[in-house]
Every structure is written in structure tokens, then in C-alpha cells.
Amino acid sequence: MIRCRFCGKRAVEVLKQYRLSLCRDCYVKFYERQVERAVKRYKIVKSGEKVLACVSGGKDSSAMLAVMKSLSETADFKLEAMFIDLGIRDYSEMSLNVVEKLCEKLDVNLNVVRLSDYGIRLENINTKRKKCSACGTAKRYLMNRFARENGFDCVATGHTSDDILAFFFKNWLSGNFSWSAKFLPRTEGFDKMVTKVRPLYLSSEKENMLYCVCRSVPFLNENCPYAPSKDVWKDIIYDIERKKPGFKRCFVMNLVKYLKSKTHTGSNGESYRYCRLCGEITTSDICAFCRLKQRNTPVK
Ligand SMILES: [Zn+2]
Ligand SMILES: [Zn+2]
């Protein structure tokens, strides 16, 4: 039997990168301390801020809400949750059920926004790929607008070190370098753009899953039916991490160092204007969300 390094009870997990074996309770404490340190180190949330945590019901955003709730008990920030009902039959219902349980358990106020209220139905979009990208556009748009219109200082998402790495490789290989602000643990807002924060920046999907299991945090262990079935980059990153424990954490930490040394502004140096139809920030005449709406005649 492997014993917990801290208390001697039976260990549930061996964390290779830290050379640590921990029991259930000690893992929960360890994970929360890790996130707390990242939040402080990168000043992810500032004192007195009102944070809107976007939750999907998946393990990462559920872990994010749970750990942020724990941190909010000692730190000076307010926390509410937001769920975007994308109207994906069965899947959206199941997700909402889990999110309701989660928020009740954690005693966090839940805001639900429905995509159908904005006249968009994903089922009217033809291909799976287009549905998935429309969903991303809609989520980014709605969380920003909802947060701003309801007086939140920042939007928190459950992005992990795995997400950051996969995103980095994809963009790097396609020669797209206009992404840098999205890779930071905190992207300052500007004009109508609300600040975006990523409290799990240094945490991995596996660590989040283990945290949910150890703390009995409700989450839905099912992928969206429209999501691409396999992300090859995640597999590659997983393989590297297996051979080089600590690779992910080290990579994203140094990515931040690099990006910070280049002094970026929130707007990423790009010029922006306002959508002719809804007034939100965009780089073109009509924003991606309104274009989506135009292509998507709702079923009456
Ligand atoms: Zn222990
Ligand atoms: Zn618009």
C-alpha cells in the first residue's frame, strides 16, 4: 500500500511531477493550494472583484467553480455562476441538471442564459464542425455580454494547461501569432470587453478530474455530441507529459513569462470597431455572433 506523504493514510494518487503520493483529503488541500498560488502569482482575480464563472457541467469548469468557491471564503472576491443553454437536445438538459446540483451543493448563485432567446438554434446549422464553431462563437459572445450587462468585473473559464498547450501548438503550426492575449492567465478587458480569467491555467485535466472525484463535485462525464471526437494534440501532449512529468506546467509557466516580456495590451494591438447590428466589439462590420444569427433563421 502506498501511503500519503502528509498524513500516512492510504494514498489515492501518485503525482509524478511532484513526487508526491496523497490521500483523498490531502489531495483536495494540495490542489486548492496550487490553484490559490497561481491565482496570487498571476493576480488572476483582484481584490473586490465580482467574478462570473462559466460552467458547462464538465469536470474542468466544475472543478474551477468548486475551487473558486473555496478560495472566495478567505479571499476578497464575489462569485456567481453562469450556464449557457445551447439547446442541444438531451445534452444541454443533462448538463443543466448537473450544473444546478453543483451550484446548490456549493451554494453559488446560478445564472442561465438561453441561446434560443437570441434567435439561434444550433440544429439549423448543417455540419457538426460548423455547429461546434458556432457554439464557440455564441459562448464567447454571450458570456462577455451577460457579464458586462450584469456588472461583473471578470469572466472565469475552466481552461486547463492542456487547453492552452493544444491551442498554442495549433496556432503556432498554422503561423497564427495574433493569439497571445488569449494565452495569459488573465486578459484585461477594454472598452466593451470584459476581463477574462483562467484560474486553472496551471492545472491539468487529470488533476481537475481527481479533484472532482475526491471532493464529490458533481460533473457530467460526457462530451458534447457536436464536439470533434478526438483531439490529436491532447494525445501528443499527454504522451510528452507521461515521459516528462511536469512538462505541461513548466511550458505554460514559461509561455506567460515570454508573453509578459513582450508587454501586450488587452486589445492585442489590433484595431477594433462596433458591430453595426448589436454594438458589441468586433474586428469586422458585423460581429461573428450576428453573422451566425443572419445565417440561422429560427424555427417559429
Ligand atoms: Zn493524507
Ligand atoms: Zn453583433
Side-chain angles (χ1 to χ4, degrees):
M1 181 175 94
I2 300 173
R3 293 189 177 276
C4 172
R5 166 92 72 84
F6 297 152
C7 73
K9 275 192 246 163
R10 195 174 68 85
V12 288
E13 183 71 17
V14 180
L15 303 167
K16 274 196 194 143
Q17 73 177 105
Y18 306 105
R19 301 207 178 107
L20 256 187
S21 16
L22 295 176
C23 73
R24 198 184 164 107
D25 293 340
C26 292
Y27 176 76
V28 167
K29 279 184 220 148
F30 176 79
Y31 174 94
E32 292 184 347
R33 207 164 47 228
Q34 291 286 104
V35 177
E36 186 180 10
R37 274 193 199 147
V39 168
K40 283 185 180 156
R41 165 188 230 144
Y42 297 124
K43 299 181 177 68
I44 293 180
V45 175
K46 293 182 180 163
S47 172
E49 280 188 328
K50 210 176 145 194
V51 181
L52 182 65
C54 284
V55 287
S56 65
K59 61 183 188 322
D60 301 313
S61 59
S62 294
M64 188 267 292
L65 185 69
V67 66
M68 288 301 274
K69 173 65 184 180
S70 293
L71 299 187
S72 75
E73 275 150 22
T74 51
D76 176 32
F77 66 86
K78 287 199 175 62
L79 183 69
E80 284 191 32
M82 174 195 196
F83 175 79
I84 299 173
D85 183 348
L86 296 157
I88 302 166
R89 207 180 295 262
D90 296 349
Y91 179 73
S92 288
E93 265 168 52
M94 279 191 294
S95 304
L96 180 57
N97 270 331
V98 167
V99 167
E100 280 171 345
K101 260 189 229 144
L102 172 75
C103 291
E104 202 186 301
K105 185 183 158 109
L106 297 172
D107 190 26
V108 172
N109 186 44
L110 172 64
N111 303 278
V112 178
V113 174
R114 293 194 162 76
L115 185 57
S116 56
D117 291 345
Y118 290 81
I120 294 179
R121 284 172 192 278
L122 291 176
E123 67 231 46
N124 293 349
I125 298 166
N126 295 329
T127 64
K128 211 170 134 177
R129 201 187 141 92
K130 278 187 190 153
K131 278 187 169 99
C132 192
S133 94
C135 166
T137 300
K139 278 198 269 194
R140 281 188 296 274
Y141 180 94
L142 293 174
M143 65 190 189
N144 186 67
R145 190 164 157 184
F146 182 87
R148 192 189 65 239
E149 289 176 349
N150 292 278
F152 288 91
D153 300 295
C154 56
V155 170
T157 52
H159 288 105
T160 65
S161 58
D162 306 70
D163 294 322
I164 305 290
L165 269 159
F167 203 47
F168 173 84
F169 281 131
K170 283 176 208 168
N171 280 282
W172 185 268
L173 292 178
S174 62
N176 172 21
F177 306 119
S178 64
W179 35 256
S180 33
K182 286 178 197 151
F183 288 140
L184 291 169
R186 178 178 170 110
T187 312
E188 281 318 315
F190 58 95
D191 202 286
K192 286 186 170 183
M193 277 295 183
V194 176
T195 297
K196 305 290 175 336
V197 301
R198 304 169 184 94
L200 305 186
Y201 194 84
L202 297 182
S203 313
S204 70
E205 290 183 3
K206 200 177 151 194
E207 288 164 357
N208 299 338
M209 165 79 98
L210 195 60
Y211 177 66
C212 287
V213 172
C214 289
R215 247 194 89 178
S216 308
V217 170
F219 70 96
L220 185 66
N221 199 5
E222 204 163 313
N223 285 328
C224 172
Y226 299 150
S229 44
K230 211 171 170 93
D231 188 332
V232 178
W233 280 109
K234 292 250 169 108
D235 284 352
I236 295 168
I237 292 160
Y238 182 85
D239 281 346
I240 303 176
E241 179 72 29
R242 202 163 45 85
K243 289 177 184 155
K244 271 269 172 218
F247 156 76
K248 286 191 277 200
R249 197 180 160 83
C250 191
F251 195 105
V252 292
M253 279 171 87
N254 286 325
L255 185 60
V256 179
K257 256 194 209 166
Y258 173 73
L259 293 175
K260 290 232 160 138
S261 72
K262 297 180 65 182
T263 55
H264 281 282
T265 56
S267 66
N268 211 4
E270 257 177 77
S271 61
Y272 61 87
R273 42 185 158 164
Y274 304 103
C275 171
R276 186 154 55 81
L277 300 177
C278 74
E280 293 292 308
I281 283 183
T282 173
T283 47
S284 45
D285 187 33
I286 296 172
C287 80
F289 187 82
C290 289
R291 270 181 278 145
L292 183 66
K293 211 163 150 179
Q294 285 178 330
R295 284 199 302 270
N296 195 261
T297 352
V299 193
K300 286 269 158 68

